[in-house]
């Protein structure tokens, strides 16, 4: 089970380059349910996510690089590339996704929570903008098609 | 974890039509690891299987009919159609797959076991033929490409 909230930003946080960063590339074979392939630095994964906005079931399965490259040819729409910065904030970690390619300059912040109560009680930092948790428009599966 | 042995047949068992049967259709998006889509009567599934012959890790995830039909267009090679008869035998169930389409008249019997010891100790019925557990040729993922 994955419980998370998603936000647009007003501004980028200070010293972004000081935080750990990963390079993600991902594509979608299906969007309902989500069947996603992802390259995460040097790791390759197939991910299945059930329907849902704030709360979703998620299963991650390992792929080889060959399997990833093979499945990538089957992806619908665009392959998404982004840098993901991991920014500690109170008890949480903000995952800040800076999109490259034709989705730039989109930036999205995601925060994962251990419970729905904590997710609803979360007070975002000053530099967060609009809460888009309940907007399908910012699902990466939807962004892959725009 | 799935532990199973697979056999060709000498003859079909008597009274085959008296056993429960399901209609399976399946295709492969990837073979190593296996990423399979399957229609099982009216149920649709995405299955992931790790590498291996007798022992494999298996994860089954639900699909909608629309998702199945969408992913089916991405399958490599042929879509496999078969009837699966469930035949009780001692403490086990023989799954007897009767292939249709251009794989006919192929028939394969599979038996699943709770442990490797039981798998190795299994004495097949008289009507079983060659043990092809360790032959990749009879993996459905390989049959999808022939």
């Amino acid at each position: 089970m994955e419980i998370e909230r998603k936000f647009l930003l007003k501004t980028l946080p200070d010293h972004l380059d000081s935080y750990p960063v990963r390079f993600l590339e991902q594509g979608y074979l299906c969007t309902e349910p989500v069947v996603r392939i992802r390259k995460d630095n040097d790791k390759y994964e197939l991910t299945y996510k059930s329907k849902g906005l704030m709360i979703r079931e998620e299963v991650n399965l390992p792929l080889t690089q060959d399997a990833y490259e093979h499945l990538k040819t089957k992806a619908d729409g665009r392959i998404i590339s982004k840098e993901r910065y991991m920014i500690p904030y109170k008890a949480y970690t903000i995952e800040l996704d800076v999109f490259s390619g034709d989705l730039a300059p989109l930036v999205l912040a995601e925060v994962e929570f251990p419970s729905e109560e904590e997710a609803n009680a979360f007070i975002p930092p000053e530099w967060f903008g609009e809460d888009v948790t309940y907007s399908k428009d910012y699902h990466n599966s939807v962004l892959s098609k725009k």
Side-chain angles (χ1 to χ4, degrees), chain A residues 15-123:
Chain A
H15 313 298
L16 186 58
D17 286 344
S18 67
Y19 299 107
V21 64
R22 281 142 55 204
F23 295 87
L24 306 181
E25 182 187 80
Q26 61 195 47
Y28 292 83
L29 304 181
C30 191
T31 50
E32 245 185 74
V34 163
V35 179
R36 182 188 74 196
I37 52 160
R38 176 186 273 177
K39 177 180 190 319
D40 182 341
N41 279 345
D42 297 327
K43 197 176 70 181
Y44 302 90
E45 270 184 345
L46 180 76
T47 297
Y48 171 97
K49 294 190 195 197
S50 62
K51 223 172 144 174
L53 293 168
M54 191 166 81
I55 304 178
R56 316 179 80 181
E57 204 76 50
E58 183 173 320
V59 179
N60 291 299
L61 302 160
L63 293 176
T64 61
Q65 182 177 355
D66 283 351
Y68 173 81
E69 297 296 346
H70 177 68
L71 290 170
K72 191 172 145 181
T73 64
K74 300 177 188 284
D76 301 316
R78 68 158 69 76
I79 301 294
I80 292 175
S81 297
K82 57 190 183 182
E83 294 182 346
R84 171 165 290 179
Y85 293 88
M86 308 296 279
I87 303 172
Y89 177 72
K90 297 183 178 169
Y92 309 110
T93 299
I94 295 167
E95 296 184 340
L96 192 75
D97 284 357
V98 179
F99 291 77
S100 42
D102 55 355
L103 287 173
L106 179 63
V107 181
L108 286 170
E110 279 183 19
V111 187
E112 205 176 323
F113 300 94
S115 72
E116 210 177 331
E117 292 66 35
E118 285 196 41
N120 287 321
F122 177 70
I123 296 170

